[in-house]
Amino acid sequence: MHIIRLQDCPPSTWKNGGGSTRQLLAYPPGASLDSFTYRVSVAEVDSDGPFSHFAGVDRSLAILEGDGLALMNGAQLYGTLLAGQPPLAFDGALPLAGLRLGGKVRDFNVMSRRGLARHHCQQRVMDAGSHRLMLPARSLLFVASGQLQWGDHTLHSMEATWLDEATEPTLHCAQPTTLLLASFALTDGNHD
């Protein structure tokens, strides 16, 4: 198992210069913000401001820590994101701005470039105990809070693992644990 630790991912400046992000995964490897097929990152939102513009990109966003964000489309409220809520999917070309509902916010961001890939991002909340979970091929399993035991490996909060092949492991949680699962499908004509 290859474990991706948030702390080991170097921070980089947002496309619009308004904050920082840590990239957990990008495909193809080495792709830039203008050339990725899909991408997963965690961002630190220190101030209110506009989202970066990503034409032709589908996005999903979930709050990991903090009081949350109000997403504004001009003067209209597009949606409200709170920690513990399922991810919100939206078009990366929308002219959205994020207004913090309190202090600093940390979010989980999944993007896929339309015509090259599709993604699905879901949240799973698991009680303490053992759980069998169907994990699709080409997916990233991220521990938003808590921790889980998978065979001989432990995934702690803010750690992830990438799955090339579909699997149905038994996961053991010593405490309530929240997972985010981002899965990807390459569209016709786009193959490894």
Side-chain angles (χ1 to χ4, degrees), residues 8-102:
D8 296 337
C9 301
S12 60
T13 303
W14 286 352
K15 184 178 177 183
N16 69 5
S20 67
T21 188
R22 293 177 185 263
Q23 180 174 284
L24 300 176
L25 170 76
Y27 179 85
S32 71
L33 287 177
D34 295 318
S35 65
F36 67 82
T37 298
Y38 54 80
R39 181 176 186 266
V40 181
S41 60
V42 171
E44 306 289 339
V45 184
D46 296 321
S47 60
D48 300 341
F51 278 35
S52 297
H53 181 79
F54 284 99
V57 171
D58 293 316
R59 297 184 67 174
S60 295
L61 198 66
I63 301 298
L64 297 172
E65 297 174 357
D67 293 328
L69 288 174
L71 303 187
M72 305 299 296
N73 188 352
Q76 298 293 317
L77 178 65
Y78 180 81
T80 302
L81 285 168
L82 302 173
Q85 287 185 336
L88 175 70
F90 60 97
D91 185 336
L94 286 174
L96 297 180
L99 303 180
R100 293 167 306 137
L101 301 177

Side-chain angles (χ1 to χ4, degrees), residues 141-160:
L141 180 67
F142 180 82
V143 180
S145 66
Q147 72 177 41
L148 62 84
Q149 189 77 23
W150 180 342
D152 295 332
H153 302 279
T154 301
L155 283 174
H156 300 277
S157 179
M158 301 297 143
E159 294 182 348

Side-chain angles (χ1 to χ4, degrees), residues 1-4 24-27 38 40 136-142 150 155 160-165 182-185:
M1 176 185 291
H2 176 64
I3 297 176
I4 304 165
L24 300 176
L25 170 76
Y27 179 85
Y38 54 80
V40 181
R138 199 179 289 270
S139 61
L140 181 111
L141 180 67
F142 180 82
W150 180 342
L155 283 174
T161 187
W162 172 255
L163 306 161
D164 285 316
E165 304 295 332
S183 56
F184 302 91

